[in-house]
Amino acid sequence: INDVLDFARLESGRLEFEVREIVLADVLADTVAVVEPAGAAKGLRLDLRPLPAGPDGGPLRVWADGEKLQQVLSNLLSNAVKFTS
């Protein structure tokens, strides 16, 4: 339902983003954790490899809406699982 509501907001130009600095590895790990059971049910394995360090030597950070980014990644991975035999 939230996806449909977001799509309707996007179409009407009313979708708002909460852009902030996030640790990319955290978003990726959370997304893989959500999609991994569906992949395992089909005999697929999802591997999440370490990301390079950020410019400061710490974890790689990006400016993004973490929730929207996770939604996009989840849709991509879910489709990959769905259409992979």
Side-chain angles (χ1 to χ4, degrees):
I1 293 175
N2 285 334
D3 291 346
V4 173
L5 292 174
D6 282 347
F7 186 72
R9 286 187 206 112
L10 180 63
E11 288 282 314
S12 68
R14 295 185 326 218
L15 184 62
E16 294 184 19
F17 295 92
E18 294 180 34
V19 176
R20 59 187 166 81
E21 191 173 304
I22 58 172
V23 176
L24 186 56
D26 293 344
V27 174
L28 293 171
D30 290 346
T31 305
V32 168
V34 169
V35 178
E36 200 167 31
K42 288 187 69 175
L44 302 173
R45 186 181 78 222
L46 279 75
D47 288 329
L48 181 58
R49 298 183 181 170
L51 295 173
D56 62 356
L60 184 60
R61 298 173 184 274
V62 296
W63 284 90
D65 182 319
E67 186 177 305
K68 301 289 189 298
L69 178 58
Q70 185 171 358
Q71 186 177 19
V72 168
L73 293 171
S74 179
N75 287 340
L76 288 171
L77 288 174
S78 293
N79 283 338
V81 166
K82 183 177 178 179
F83 295 106
T84 301
S85 51

